[in-house]
Amino acid sequence: MFGQLITILAGILALIGAGVFSYTHLVQTIGPSEVAQVLVTPATPKKEVTKATTATTTQVVQKKVSAKAPVVAPVKNNISPAPKAVVAESTVVTPGPLRAVPQVSNTSGLSVAGVIEFTNIARAQNGGLPALVENATLNRDAQMKVDDMFAKQYFEHVSPVGVGPADLAQAVGYAYVVVGENLALGDFNGDDGVVTAWMNSPGHRANILKPQYEEIGVAVGRGMYEGRMTWLAVQSFGMPLSSCPATDLALKAKIDSNSAPITSLRAQLDAKKIQIDSTSTSDPNYNVFVNEFNAIVPNYNNLVEINRRDVATYNASVQAFNACIAAATGH
């Protein structure tokens, strides 16, 4: 009996011991888990500054790529050369002077209005060419030639001192694309007679019928030449420079004036780009530099675009002018 009691008590103690071990194990398992959860909850978040810097940096890179600031500047020269004056004034048509067979007298005489009238009749009858418009400046040009030939006693397109039709046009202020000159010496039996004589001479005929001419000046005079009284007649033909499309000088001045600020802004962008490239993205100043760069880009791009359009407009006018010159002169 006593032995059985001892056995029962030993079993009870074994159960109690097992319960204590089991409880202790649970405390070690559950308890630290709760503490660990408490420790995980206040885990240190990423700094706001770091997040903002990362986001801004990404946005800045996108701006730099979209703006393409380093390649916005025009590659080609903004200003195409303006047409040179010598191009417009290089064509002078001067067929050899025409002498009439000496006659006893010229009872009809010559007149400016009559020579112009018969010249335009000849143009109308030969291809329906438009009438030439009398130009007062070309009249002065022609009169200077008549006076100079009588004064210096010569009968050539170029005077003994080297003054030619181009020089006379410049002297009277006639800006032209093409000018031409016909000379006649002698008694031609009136205005119709002298124009007919010119038309019977291939070189003078071609000058009268030149389709590019738009204006005419004429001078006639009777005076002493080589010891006898005779007539001199001069036709001065011209296509004025104003017939070709004008280039906009004010637009060219605007383009030139924009060059300085464009160059200045580009220099600022290049300097900022170097500053950005040499700064770490983790540096707080990095975004400051990038924002400064991006603030300049719109102004630069806008000014460059304005200049690009202006240059295109100006160059189109230059090309039209040069095409007009080429068509008129065959150059």
Side-chain angles (χ1 to χ4, degrees):
M1 178 66 70
F2 181 78
Q4 292 178 345
L5 180 61
I6 293 300
T7 301
I8 291 170
L9 288 172
I12 291 172
L13 290 172
L15 289 173
I16 292 173
V20 171
F21 177 82
S22 178
Y23 176 77
T24 302
H25 177 76
L26 287 174
V27 169
Q28 291 174 347
T29 303
I30 297 173
S33 296
E34 291 176 353
V35 172
Q37 289 174 359
V38 171
L39 291 174
V40 170
T41 300
T44 305
K46 294 181 180 180
K47 294 181 180 180
E48 294 290 335
V49 173
T50 302
K51 290 182 178 179
T53 301
T54 303
T56 305
T57 301
T58 302
Q59 183 179 10
V60 166
V61 171
Q62 291 173 349
K63 284 184 178 180
K64 287 166 65 180
V65 172
S66 61
K68 296 181 179 178
V71 295
V72 167
V75 175
K76 295 182 178 180
N77 183 10
N78 283 348
I79 309 300
S80 289
K84 296 181 180 180
V86 293
V87 173
E89 300 182 357
S90 63
T91 303
V92 179
V93 184
T94 53
L98 179 67
R99 286 178 179 262
V101 177
Q103 300 179 11
V104 175
S105 64
N106 183 349
T107 57
S108 300
L110 299 177
S111 69
V112 170
V115 171
I116 293 175
E117 178 185 359
F118 285 106
T119 297
N120 283 330
I121 290 173
R123 285 173 62 87
Q125 292 175 345
N126 292 271
L129 295 172
L132 299 174
V133 177
E134 182 177 2
N135 179 277
T137 302
L138 285 178
N139 279 344
R140 291 198 301 274
D141 176 292
Q143 188 61 57
M144 287 176 64
K145 185 65 176 180
V146 167
D147 294 342
D148 196 53
M149 286 191 294
F150 274 129
K152 296 184 173 65
Q153 292 290 290
Y154 72 95
F155 185 55
E156 298 290 343
H157 290 292
V158 178
S159 76
V161 295
V163 176
D167 303 304
L168 290 176
Q170 183 177 3
V172 298
Y174 186 76
Y176 64 88
V177 178
V178 183
V179 291
E181 182 178 83
N182 280 349
L183 304 180
L185 170 65
D187 296 327
F188 289 92
N189 195 24
D191 301 324
D192 185 15
V194 71
V195 172
T196 298
W198 275 325
M199 287 295 291
N200 289 334
S201 168
H204 299 87
R205 177 188 180 90
N207 227 7
I208 290 174
L209 301 182
K210 193 174 182 65
Q212 287 81 7
Y213 291 145
E214 299 174 5
E215 298 176 335
I216 187 173
V218 170
V220 297
R222 184 171 173 79
M224 187 65 67
Y225 184 81
E226 294 181 343
R228 62 181 297 268
M229 292 297 294
T230 189
W231 285 89
L232 279 174
V234 176
Q235 288 176 311
S236 293
F237 304 99
M239 174 183 175
L241 191 62
S242 59
S243 293
C244 285
T247 54
D248 191 340
L249 297 182
L251 182 60
K252 185 177 183 298
K254 178 186 174 186
I255 293 169
D256 291 341
S257 68
N258 281 342
S259 297
I262 286 175
T263 301
S264 175
L265 288 173
R266 182 55 188 266
Q268 293 177 48
L269 287 173
D270 291 343
K272 286 295 177 186
K273 184 65 168 54
I274 293 173
Q275 194 175 34
I276 291 168
D277 291 343
S278 63
T279 303
S280 171
T281 56
S282 62
D283 189 322
N285 290 321
Y286 179 83
N287 287 338
V288 174
F289 297 152
V290 172
N291 288 335
E292 290 174 348
F293 177 92
N294 288 340
I296 299 172
V297 168
N299 295 333
Y300 175 80
N301 287 347
N302 181 59
L303 193 56
V304 167
E305 176 60 19
I306 291 173
N307 229 35
R308 184 194 65 79
R309 292 196 300 265
D310 288 345
V311 166
T313 300
Y314 178 79
N315 285 348
S317 70
V318 170
Q319 290 169 2
F321 179 90
N322 288 340
C324 178
I325 298 295
T329 64
H331 293 169

